Amino acid sequence: MTTAGRADQPDQPDQPDQPDQPDQADQPDQCSYTLSVNGQEHELRGAWMGESLLYVLRNRLGLPGAKNACEQGECGSCSVLVDGELVCSCLVLAATAGGREIVTVEGLGAGERFTDVQVAFTETGAVQCGFCTPGLIVTVHDLLERNPRPSELEIREAISGNLCRCTGYGRILEAVETVRDARLAAASRAAPVAAGATRQEGAG
Amino acid sequence: MSYDCAVSVRVPDSLEELVTGLAADPGCELLAGGTDLMVEINFGRRRPASIMSLSRVTELKGWSEDAATGELVLGGALTYTEMLQPDLAGRLPALAQAARTVGSPQIRNAGTLGGNLATASPAGDTLPVLVALDAVVVVESADGRREVPVGDFVTGAKRTALRPHDVVHSVRVPTRRTRQEFLKVGTRNAMVIAVCSAAVVVDLDSCSVRVALGSVGPVPLRAHEAEELAGEVLDWDAGGVLAGDAHRDGALERFAGLVSAASRPIDDHRSTAAYRRHAVGVCARRALERVAA
């Protein structure tokens, strides 16, 4: 049984501004647990145990990439990967996510470098107000990991849980298709080399 | 402002730990995919004193085939995404079709079969399918295990036969030679709660048809008279198909009418009762045409 332990001396580094959440100053249920986010361990202390992962990422860990819009799993703007599964972080109880590997949009690229998906979004004009963009970027990375050759319908189904109210999706589809085609082209350029290497190994 | 918000969170590692914990704390809320409970918590509508997560209870995960009976055993924590995987979707195509209409990929990765049952929303998409498949819910508690037919498990809108210290362990689906279909009407193709839905199962072993309707009553409803008509109309010697004769269209019309008559819809913010009554008949007729053409 894993029970998120009660901190002996719960510290209060910040009092996040979320009117919906109970006042956390004098509550007995301030506990500690550990989250692994983008490969880094974070000790959460003095946190209310009912907090969503989205709230903890944004307000306690300073990772604002996942956006807070609907808080009911409808909009997808808070999408993250938990143990490699695409989920809405607003629907994950943070205190139950200990021992699981969480990846947010901040953890997708190498440092400050954009990923190919992010580059394609900016170059095709798939970003307008930008609010839905981080969630879509995580979703598109997940899609192309699972299905390197998605059809337009498969792309539409994959992003159906990410609401965008600016673009009308045309340029988002174009961005995804651009990355898909570029990755496939790169893979086919690499393939003959790999095959040759295998043959050489066999000959050796 | 004062809050009653003390909440303990536990993540048991086994079914035994889970049911023991539930017996000691029967008021505890069970958290599976979080697609219902977390919304309530996020909006401050519910402040549970204690929560137990099912995320590490491996006994509730996945699905298997019972070697003795040949039944499919679907774990309570089976996700909608898992229902869509070819192995299971090939065996239970109507369940896969229902799963595919639930929410979005994000929701389907999180939401579970046990959660759909325990929440018992009138619009729960797997419920009519499970009823049409003659499935049985396996309920586990510290007292032991019991089996409840799905039709008896859902007792009203958001009401079930679960006692406070029970958990949905699994769902047993009898293995029969069937053809099955599920159709749903909503205002768009994704992220939509059913306006109405219909599951049709043509059972070639018992030469009968089962029709169950969703979102047109407080619980999933069987359309018994429509089932009887379909059973008479299908040519069982030819493999349970609709005869292509002159009576075919008339029979399908009567079938749709009997389905509509079996519904008990209400007006609400999603639809009118009149539209639901009409549309559920259309859904069931199309489903029958698809599986018996």
Side-chain angles (χ1 to χ4, degrees):
Chain A
M1 167 90 68
T2 302
T3 305
R6 207 160 271 190
D8 294 333
Q9 303 233 299
D11 60 325
Q12 293 289 311
D14 54 350
Q15 282 296 324
D17 171 31
Q18 185 169 338
D20 223 7
Q21 299 288 357
D23 174 15
Q24 298 172 9
D26 303 308
Q27 296 301 328
D29 59 329
Q30 292 172 345
C31 303
S32 68
Y33 56 93
T34 304
L35 287 184
S36 171
V37 183
N38 301 330
Q40 251 190 304
E41 300 282 314
H42 297 269
E43 170 96 4
L44 275 299
R45 305 186 71 201
W48 179 58
M49 295 300 283
E51 287 168 359
S52 70
L53 178 59
L54 171 64
Y55 179 81
V56 170
L57 290 172
R58 291 180 59 81
N59 296 62
R60 295 193 181 277
L61 301 184
L63 293 169
K67 296 284 176 270
N68 179 5
C70 74
E71 290 198 282
Q72 52 185 313
E74 294 260 357
C75 75
S77 54
C78 69
S79 297
V80 301
L81 300 169
V82 176
D83 282 345
E85 293 275 328
L86 182 75
V87 295
C88 293
S89 58
C90 71
L91 299 181
V92 176
L93 187 64
T96 66
R100 308 177 79 181
E101 207 52 54
I102 297 154
V103 176
T104 70
V105 69
E106 289 94 340
L108 289 175
E112 300 285 299
R113 299 245 321 269
F114 271 10
T115 68
D116 54 351
V117 177
Q118 286 167 318
V119 171
F121 266 62
T122 54
E123 287 183 350
T124 56
V127 180
Q128 288 191 24
C129 90
F131 196 87
C132 70
T133 308
L136 272 160
I137 298 291
V138 177
T139 298
V140 171
H141 273 278
D142 179 63
L143 164 67
L144 294 174
E145 279 295 307
R146 288 170 195 279
N147 179 4
R149 206 182 290 268
S151 65
E152 189 198 318
L153 270 178
E154 286 170 330
I155 298 169
R156 285 180 181 275
E157 189 166 1
I159 65 174
S160 62
N162 292 78
L163 299 189
C164 173
R165 286 296 171 259
C166 300
T167 64
Y169 292 96
R171 290 171 181 191
I172 294 172
L173 288 168
E174 193 185 322
V176 182
E177 286 167 352
T178 302
V179 180
R180 175 198 64 194
D181 295 345
R183 286 191 186 180
L184 288 174
S188 72
R189 281 195 303 274
V193 178
T198 309
R199 275 198 300 277
Q200 278 171 5
E201 273 169 36
Chain B
M1 197 178 286
S2 76
Y3 294 91
D4 177 16
C5 74
V7 49
S8 83
V9 174
R10 283 170 291 168
V11 190
D13 289 312
S14 69
L15 184 62
E16 195 186 337
E17 259 184 62
L18 171 68
V19 296
T20 311
L22 265 177
D25 179 15
C28 186
E29 292 279 357
L30 293 181
L31 177 67
T35 59
D36 290 308
L37 181 59
M38 282 305 292
V39 178
E40 303 272 293
I41 293 174
N42 287 344
F43 284 83
R45 293 185 204 129
R46 220 172 333 161
R47 289 281 179 236
S50 57
I51 295 171
M52 266 201 285
S53 163
L54 306 181
S55 60
R56 288 193 201 152
V57 183
T58 49
E59 291 96 325
L60 303 180
K61 292 182 193 280
W63 62 278
S64 59
E65 253 175 305
D66 187 322
T69 63
E71 290 172 306
L72 291 174
V73 183
L74 313 178
L78 185 77
T79 65
Y80 299 108
T81 297
E82 290 169 326
M83 297 175 213
L84 285 167
Q85 301 313 303
D87 254 16
L88 187 52
R91 289 170 162 87
L92 298 174
L95 187 67
Q97 192 58 24
R100 196 176 173 199
T101 71
V102 172
S104 62
Q106 288 91 326
I107 300 300
R108 295 195 283 274
N109 283 342
T112 65
L113 187 65
N116 210 216
L117 280 162
T119 298
S121 161
D125 287 318
T126 68
L127 305 183
V129 179
L130 296 179
V131 168
L133 289 172
D134 247 352
V136 170
V137 184
V138 180
V139 176
E140 181 94 13
S141 77
D143 311 339
R145 190 171 286 192
R146 67 185 199 280
E147 302 202 344
V148 186
V150 175
D152 298 332
F153 179 87
V154 183
T155 55
K158 301 195 175 182
R159 303 180 76 88
T160 69
L162 285 175
R163 300 166 303 172
H165 59 293
D166 283 337
V167 60
V168 174
H169 174 274
S170 55
V171 173
R172 303 182 74 90
V173 181
T175 320
R176 299 194 187 123
R177 289 180 306 134
T178 59
R179 287 200 299 273
Q180 27 180 293
E181 181 63 287
F182 170 88
L183 288 176
K184 162 175 161 180
V185 170
T187 45
R188 55 184 284 238
N189 280 334
M191 295 306 305
V192 72
I193 294 173
V195 162
C196 69
S197 67
V200 173
V201 173
V202 173
D203 187 328
L204 299 171
D205 285 343
S206 62
C207 295
S208 63
V209 177
R210 288 186 298 278
V211 180
L213 316 175
S215 248
V216 289
V219 299
L221 301 170
R222 288 278 292 270
H224 292 289
E225 289 178 34
E227 292 175 355
E228 278 167 34
L229 174 70
E232 290 161 15
V233 170
L234 294 193
D235 183 346
W236 296 103
D237 293 331
V241 295
L242 278 163
D245 62 20
H247 301 298
R248 175 193 162 115
D249 287 346
L252 283 169
E253 269 320 301
R254 290 210 311 286
F255 175 76
L258 289 172
V259 167
S260 291
S263 69
R264 289 192 278 136
I266 57 169
D267 289 317
D268 67 11
H269 60 289
R270 258 177 239 125
S271 177
T272 61
Y275 177 74
R276 284 189 160 109
R277 191 174 294 112
H278 168 74
V280 78
V282 174
C283 281
R285 184 189 66 203
R286 285 186 189 162
L288 183 64
E289 281 184 283
R290 287 190 192 178
V291 291

